[in-house]
Amino acid sequence: MPDAYYLQLTEQLRHLITQHAAQWEGKLPAERALAERFSTTRVTLRQALAQLEGEGLIHRSNRRGWFISPARLMYDPTRDAGFNDYVRAQGRQPRTAVLQLESRAHVPAARALNLPDDHVFHHIRRRRYVDDRAVLAESLWVVPERAPELLSIYAGQSLWGLLRERWGHHLANRSISMVSEALSPGDAEELFVAPGTAGLNICRAIFDDQQRPIEYDEEHWLHDSLCIRVELSGQQ
């Protein structure tokens, strides 16, 4: 079908989704039903759906179909606020699943924190949910000398809060990088999406007020789940 029809179908789908969002309770009809409704092929339909997915209006879940994406989470990666706090502050419901606790070396973390490549870290792997949708898979690499018994007591609570309250660390200095990515098979599986789904990778190296290395974070977000917003105070 010509490009003009593909663009027209995209707009028709956009209007239909807006009109029936409440009735559908977040889930789109099956692709076959949509193709029949618009008298088009599923190939053309999927082109239009992919366009709306790229815009963040809808998202696809493996073996479950297409869903209307909820409002994006406003996220400031420079702030100390924990995930649960800033999600609840926006009227949303957070949840955390701890996937792995282990001790091992990790070269990217070691280099980001200016440590030897073979330095062993406490590794915490988590999956984070907003309103029952998995949106973030993350690895936290904590310097064991700063939190010796961390792995034996960690149960999904705020890591930053624990570092402050139990070990008295002040997370004073951060180096942050953000790049778009195609989710790896492992990250995609943990977020219940197809490998190669668009994502945002945020890495954060954290030091205390004495410039001692504390932690290295690797975050893998679904691209349509958040909006990065950083507030800066003016300087004269």
Side-chain angles (χ1 to χ4, degrees):
M1 289 190 179
D3 289 347
Y5 181 77
Y6 154 68
L7 295 174
Q8 180 183 355
L9 178 59
T10 301
E11 290 305 313
Q12 289 175 334
L13 279 169
R14 193 194 315 278
H15 176 73
L16 191 68
I17 290 168
T18 302
Q19 187 178 30
H20 294 282
Q23 174 188 343
W24 290 345
E25 297 182 344
K27 188 177 190 302
L28 271 64
E31 288 185 3
R32 182 172 62 180
L34 288 173
E36 291 175 354
R37 182 177 188 133
F38 291 104
S39 301
T40 188
T41 66
R42 292 178 68 172
V43 172
T44 302
L45 175 70
R46 286 172 180 167
Q47 287 181 314
L49 291 171
Q51 173 66 33
L52 296 178
E53 182 184 28
E55 296 173 10
L57 181 63
I58 60 175
H59 65 274
R60 178 171 37 190
S61 180
N62 280 354
R63 297 179 294 278
R64 295 178 61 218
W66 290 92
F67 293 80
I68 301 169
S69 296
R72 293 176 185 262
L73 187 70
M74 305 305 295
Y75 178 50
D76 184 347
T78 67
R79 296 186 59 196
D80 286 347
F83 179 85
N84 291 339
D85 292 335
Y86 65 75
V87 172
R88 289 195 182 103
Q90 296 177 52
R92 315 288 287 277
Q93 184 61 44
R95 180 160 63 91
T96 297
V98 179
L99 305 178
Q100 192 173 29
L101 297 170
E102 63 177 350
S103 294
R104 68 180 177 91
H106 185 60
V107 173
R111 293 182 178 177
L113 295 174
N114 301 317
L115 295 170
D117 284 359
D118 60 355
H119 194 94
V120 175
F121 294 90
H122 292 325
H123 175 222
I124 300 172
R125 183 69 174 181
R126 303 188 295 197
R127 176 168 54 232
R128 302 282 213 167
Y129 295 80
V130 175
D131 299 334
D132 288 326
R133 182 191 180 198
V135 298
L136 165 64
E138 62 179 346
S139 282
L140 314 175
W141 304 90
V142 182
V143 179
E145 295 85 350
R146 308 289 178 250
E149 66 272 29
L150 174 63
L151 296 185
S152 64
I153 65 173
Y154 186 75
Q157 65 270 55
S158 168
L159 177 61
W160 289 4
L162 192 59
L163 290 171
R164 283 193 300 266
E165 294 164 12
R166 187 177 183 92
W167 291 285
H169 295 307
H170 298 284
L171 311 180
N173 301 286
R174 303 168 191 78
S175 174
I176 301 171
S177 65
M178 293 183 283
V179 296
S180 60
E181 65 175 354
L183 292 175
S184 70
D187 295 328
E189 181 180 7
E190 290 182 359
L191 293 175
F192 312 112
V193 297
T197 295
L200 179 66
N201 173 227
I202 302 177
C203 292
R204 185 187 294 103
I206 303 173
F207 301 80
D208 67 9
D209 51 3
Q210 301 178 47
Q211 288 299 316
R212 295 179 302 180
I214 301 292
E215 177 196 353
Y216 181 69
D217 298 345
E218 296 174 327
E219 301 179 353
H220 303 277
W221 291 85
L222 293 179
H223 82 288
D224 64 343
S225 66
L226 79 168
C227 173
I228 300 294
R229 181 174 67 187
V230 178
E231 298 183 4
L232 302 173
S233 58
Q235 296 182 355
Q236 298 297 327

